[in-house]
Amino acid sequence: MRLSTKAQYAVRAMVRLNLEQKDSPVSIREISTHENISLTYLEQLFAKLRRGKLVRSVRGPGGGYILARPAADIKVDQIIDSVEETLIPVSCMDEFGNCACSDQCVTHTVWQELGERIRGFLSSVSIEDLTNDARARIHRQREEQRKTE
Amino acid sequence: MRLSTKAQYAVRAMVRLNLEQKDSPVSIREISTHENISLTYLEQLFAKLRRGKLVRSVRGPGGGYILARPAADIKVDQIIDSVEETLIPVSCMDEFGNCACSDQCVTHTVWQELGERIRGFLSSVSIEDLTNDARARIHRQREEQRKTE
DNA sequence: GCATTCCTGAGCATTACTGTCAACTATTAA
DNA sequence: TTAATAGTTGACAGTAATGCTCAGGAATGC
């Protein structure tokens, strides 16, 4: 029951993009350095994020990526959808809860409800939330570092 | 974000065990037929369920497995734990929410909370619940079949 | 003792994941 | 126009996990 690193990377990259984004686009290289993710792999992920209309690309010198919408309007479940990771916990079921099993699954209900809870939670969390959270954590760590010095 | 079939099989097998269990033990063969799961594979799963103290085994002719506790006291998360599937969505985090990442994960919070929600939900669902649910579904299907005849 | 059932460990094919590589296209500064 | 920057695409390969089989062994009831 693990999220693929692809999905994790995508969320981290989006948060980082929002952290670094001021007025100008943020290059993939910058995100790669900060998050320690392979540059070529990030290219793949951002292609998908662009197709999912979560980011826009700016080409040419000084180019990079920018969020396509305000960070508060981008939810974690949308990011995961964009990189084509499913949030449905079993493979015999589609997104509407229909089950492909020939005879009735005796366990249908749990998985359906579980999927709904997972999506429900992830659709309630925005990039903005996570960015604020990250800022607070970075701040706290600096404070503690100062104390020990 | 898929549950392994191992975990799904284990839950289905437990529900089936409760469905078929009257006074005498239920053999793996019986469960295999009903749930259409390979017999030898089920043997592996039941070995783990036994180690997890969710079932007890009775050897010899007429033997099989019985639930180690009342069905209402066996929760789905315990079954999944027994077959060694994790409910933590990311690999850098342990069950207490401690993160192994060298620099701080900017996305730590979501995954931790998501994991807690998943476990919270699955620990609220018992084998008894699922069995009742399965009985109701079987009943409903029979009714509909009668109508179309 | 013999059939039935559980028990155990080794092994193996397939798939999915993670990432690299190489070539290409688009945009812009100079 | 040309060089530089940056994104775009598709093929592919190594690794790890998954899902499952097989071959035997051990306990038990009749």
Side-chain angles (χ1 to χ4, degrees):
Chain A
M1 192 68 173
R2 283 255 155 85
L3 224 46
S4 62
T5 62
K6 187 169 63 178
Q8 296 175 47
Y9 284 173
V11 178
R12 276 169 59 194
M14 289 292 280
V15 174
R16 180 58 65 180
L17 178 53
N18 192 38
L19 272 171
E20 306 298 331
Q21 176 177 295
K22 307 286 184 297
D23 304 320
S24 56
V26 182
S27 77
I28 269 185
R29 170 161 284 120
E30 204 170 335
I31 295 176
S32 167
T33 324
H34 275 111
E35 290 295 332
N36 210 35
I37 302 173
S38 144
L39 191 133
T40 47
Y41 198 38
L42 268 180
E43 285 178 346
Q44 285 183 41
L45 299 186
F46 271 90
K48 294 186 177 179
L49 292 172
R50 196 179 57 82
R51 274 181 234 128
K53 300 196 192 307
L54 298 183
V55 299
R56 273 204 301 270
S57 64
V58 181
R59 291 177 143 191
Y65 286 95
I66 52 174
L67 295 181
R69 295 199 292 272
D73 294 346
I74 300 179
K75 312 293 186 174
V76 174
D77 71 322
Q78 298 166 344
I79 300 174
I80 295 178
D81 287 342
S82 289
V83 296
E84 290 148 16
E85 164 103 350
T86 179
L87 290 179
I88 301 166
V90 294
S91 57
C92 62
M93 197 182 296
D94 68 15
E95 54 187 314
F96 308 110
N98 301 315
C99 187
C101 299
S102 54
D103 51 349
Q104 67 285 347
C105 274
V106 290
T107 53
H108 188 96
T109 322
V110 230
W111 310 135
Q112 184 171 1
E113 280 192 40
L114 177 60
E116 284 163 10
R117 306 266 176 137
I118 291 173
R119 178 163 299 272
F121 173 64
L122 292 182
S123 68
S124 77
V125 181
S126 75
I127 289 300
E128 179 79 356
D129 299 332
L130 294 180
T131 310
N132 291 336
D133 196 81
R135 284 206 191 95
R137 186 158 344 100
I138 291 166
H139 185 74
R140 208 164 50 236
Q141 286 184 342
R142 286 213 187 113
E143 288 286 300
E144 284 182 17
Q145 216 164 34
R146 245 199 347 206
K147 272 185 195 166
T148 57
E149 274 170 11
Chain B
M1 194 68 174
R2 283 257 155 84
L3 222 48
S4 63
T5 63
K6 187 169 63 178
Q8 297 175 46
Y9 284 172
V11 178
R12 276 169 58 195
M14 290 291 280
V15 173
R16 179 58 65 181
L17 178 52
N18 193 37
L19 272 171
E20 306 298 330
Q21 176 177 294
K22 308 286 185 294
D23 305 319
S24 54
V26 182
S27 77
I28 269 186
R29 169 160 284 122
E30 204 170 335
I31 295 176
S32 168
T33 325
H34 274 112
E35 291 295 332
N36 210 35
I37 303 172
S38 144
L39 191 135
T40 46
Y41 196 38
L42 269 180
E43 284 179 342
Q44 285 182 41
L45 300 186
F46 271 90
K48 294 186 177 178
L49 292 172
R50 195 176 56 84
R51 276 180 232 128
K53 299 196 193 308
L54 298 184
V55 298
R56 272 206 300 269
S57 65
V58 181
R59 289 179 148 191
Y65 288 94
I66 51 175
L67 295 181
R69 295 200 292 272
D73 294 346
I74 301 179
K75 312 293 188 175
V76 175
D77 71 322
Q78 299 166 345
I79 300 174
I80 295 178
D81 287 342
S82 288
V83 297
E84 291 148 14
E85 164 103 352
T86 178
L87 290 179
I88 301 165
V90 295
S91 57
C92 62
M93 197 182 297
D94 67 15
E95 53 186 316
F96 307 110
N98 301 315
C99 189
C101 299
S102 53
D103 51 350
Q104 69 284 347
C105 273
V106 289
T107 53
H108 188 95
T109 323
V110 230
W111 310 134
Q112 183 171 1
E113 281 192 38
L114 178 60
E116 284 164 9
R117 305 265 176 139
I118 292 174
R119 179 165 296 276
F121 172 64
L122 292 182
S123 68
S124 77
V125 181
S126 75
I127 289 298
E128 178 79 353
D129 299 332
L130 294 180
T131 310
N132 291 335
D133 197 81
R135 283 206 192 97
R137 186 160 341 103
I138 291 166
H139 185 73
R140 207 163 50 237
Q141 285 185 342
R142 286 211 189 118
E143 289 286 302
E144 284 183 16
Q145 217 164 32
R146 245 196 348 201
K147 272 185 195 168
T148 57
E149 276 168 9

